[in-house]
Amino acid sequence: MAELKERTFIAIKPDGVQRGIIGEIIKRFEMKGFKLVGMKMLHASEDLLMKHYIDLKDRPFFPTLIKYMSSGPVVAMEHHPWQ
């Protein structure tokens, strides 16, 4: 049976994309021992974000969070620790 590996989801939020620091953020994770295994830039829909942040739906900041995260492109990445 194939060995299961721990995977970590990392998102570069709209302000990081706008500031042009995607490469720097990836570099920092790699320096901490994470290996990038997948990456996609997308403009997340409010529907997708509401599903992703479902555990925060009752918090007072939820509408602001959804508005902010849908305000521009994000970079979604999957990393796993180097073996």
Side-chain angles (χ1 to χ4, degrees):
M1 183 151 92
E3 178 183 332
L4 295 176
K5 296 186 181 213
E6 179 180 333
R7 302 255 171 142
T8 301
F9 172 75
I10 299 167
I12 301 175
K13 298 175 183 176
D15 64 319
V17 174
Q18 182 181 17
R19 291 172 49 207
I21 58 173
I22 297 168
E24 179 62 29
I25 292 170
I26 293 170
K27 176 183 166 185
R28 290 181 185 199
F29 277 99
E30 288 178 338
M31 290 177 65
K32 293 284 185 184
F34 287 85
K35 180 180 179 186
L36 179 63
V37 294
M39 177 172 61
K40 181 178 184 178
M41 181 181 280
L42 67 142
H43 196 121
S45 68
E46 288 188 9
D47 186 52
L48 175 65
L49 292 165
M50 289 177 152
K51 290 175 186 172
H52 180 73
Y53 290 113
I54 191 73
D55 57 321
L56 301 174
K57 70 177 182 162
D58 295 326
R59 304 297 296 261
F61 58 83
F62 184 72
T64 305
L65 172 65
I66 300 303
K67 184 176 179 180
Y68 164 66
M69 290 298 291
S70 63
S71 70
V74 297
V75 176
M77 299 176 285
E78 184 178 354
H79 287 257
H80 70 76
W82 279 328
Q83 299 288 323

